Amino acid sequence: MVTFKDQVVLITGAARGLGLAYARCIGQLGATVLIYDIGTNSEGEGADPQVAERTADTLRSEGLDVRVITGDLGTRDGCHKLCADALRVAGRLDAVIHNAGWVAYEKIGMIEERSFDRMMTVAAKAPLWLAQAAWPAMKAAGYGRIVMTTSCRALYPQYVHQGLASYAAAKMAVVGLMNVLAEEGKGDGIIVNAVSPVAKTRMWGAEEEPDELLPSAVAPGVAYLASAQCTEGGWILRAANGQFHATKVAEAAGVDYPRNLRAVQASTALEVAQNWASIAIAAVEPRS
């Protein structure tokens, strides 16, 4: 049985879309849910604290234990304060789900340092600082779950979109971060994974409730990753339309990295060119 009884879960970007679906699902499974959402528009601009308050009121009217946490994900200090406030308000912190983010379309000639840094701050730096802030309490408890958010728009070349270079860079950074923290947390009961969700939300410009690709169809997978039943880290859970597939990059058998890649031998650029068809082979995941 998947249950969050007596557990506290902090979810960022939790007032609408996917975050709201996560909060509702995990709250229904018994958690005290702490929701963080500054209430930006779909471009990530502005702030409206009433957005989170209204969502909390709605979820409480459904019988769920939900509280609002305010703060700033834009700095390391802000992320640390957010987790400190969560611990002060609830007394413990069993799981952190970083969902907050947005999509900004800028083709290569239009990307500026400010917009790139802003994307990296919310999508890649914030999960690092949140994990760092939650780590001591989780380590002391011998238990913790951290769920980060990546995207198939970065992971798979066939799904990329023009104009999403900054977005893809940040989402790929999350994968490296997850891999390392999954290894660092293993000995202390801290399990770190990532979700790559697809749902029709404001970020897709949806004006009304969609009839497919619902956020609620993604939520069960995220609830699992944040639960005690999830005991393996370092996975990317692809979640869309009520279907789930977990993936990670795995080395070929017999490789003695980096001395012997069990790969094509070449000593000149010409030999690399001549053998490119054998060197560059797409690894297609099997499906049953």
Side-chain angles (χ1 to χ4, degrees), residues 60-94:
R60 282 193 287 261
S61 73
E62 297 172 12
L64 308 184
D65 183 4
V66 177
R67 308 176 200 181
V68 174
I69 295 288
T70 60
D72 174 24
L73 291 177
T75 65
R76 178 182 181 273
D77 287 347
C79 290
H80 274 251
K81 184 178 183 302
L82 191 67
C83 286
D85 287 347
L87 287 164
R88 178 179 51 78
V89 167
R92 58 187 293 161
L93 188 54
D94 298 282

Side-chain angles (χ1 to χ4, degrees), residues 17-28:
L18 283 163
L20 171 55
Y22 303 163
R24 177 173 278 121
C25 180
I26 291 170
Q28 289 171 343

